Amino acid sequence: ELINPVHYTVINVAQLAELPAGTVVTLDSLVKAGLVTSPKYPLKVLGSGDLSVMLNVQAAAFTAGARAKIEAAGGTCEVTE
């Protein structure tokens, strides 16, 4: 059992695919876009689904699959605190 489990707000790359190309994706921008309901926990991007638009994603964590898909689409992954 984890003593101090880390909680994340999670989103899949498939949900990011509907954003316009060139968007800077942050937890706050996802809340404003209605893709995430609460900014209570840091953002973690998961790799489920496909992504074909170039996005600059700023999140606390990325799965390897999410990072690969974002970068394959020409985007960037920036780890934030």
Side-chain angles (χ1 to χ4, degrees), residues 34-68:
L35 294 174
V36 170
T37 53
S38 169
K40 182 174 179 182
Y41 297 115
L43 182 64
K44 182 173 186 175
V45 184
L46 308 180
S48 180
D50 293 315
L51 182 69
S52 59
V53 292
M54 190 274 294
L55 300 170
N56 298 312
V57 185
Q58 299 173 0
F62 297 87
T63 62
R67 183 179 288 275

Side-chain angles (χ1 to χ4, degrees), residues 7-72:
H7 296 282
Y8 287 107
T9 298
V10 296
I11 192 163
N12 281 299
V13 291
Q15 295 166 272
L16 301 179
E18 56 195 72
L19 297 170
T23 299
V24 175
V25 180
T26 64
L27 182 55
D28 288 338
S29 75
L30 292 174
V31 171
K32 287 181 182 140
L35 294 174
V36 170
T37 53
S38 169
K40 182 174 179 182
Y41 297 115
L43 182 64
K44 182 173 186 175
V45 184
L46 308 180
S48 180
D50 293 315
L51 182 69
S52 59
V53 292
M54 190 274 294
L55 300 170
N56 298 312
V57 185
Q58 299 173 0
F62 297 87
T63 62
R67 183 179 288 275
K69 289 177 182 182
I70 292 166
E71 291 174 350

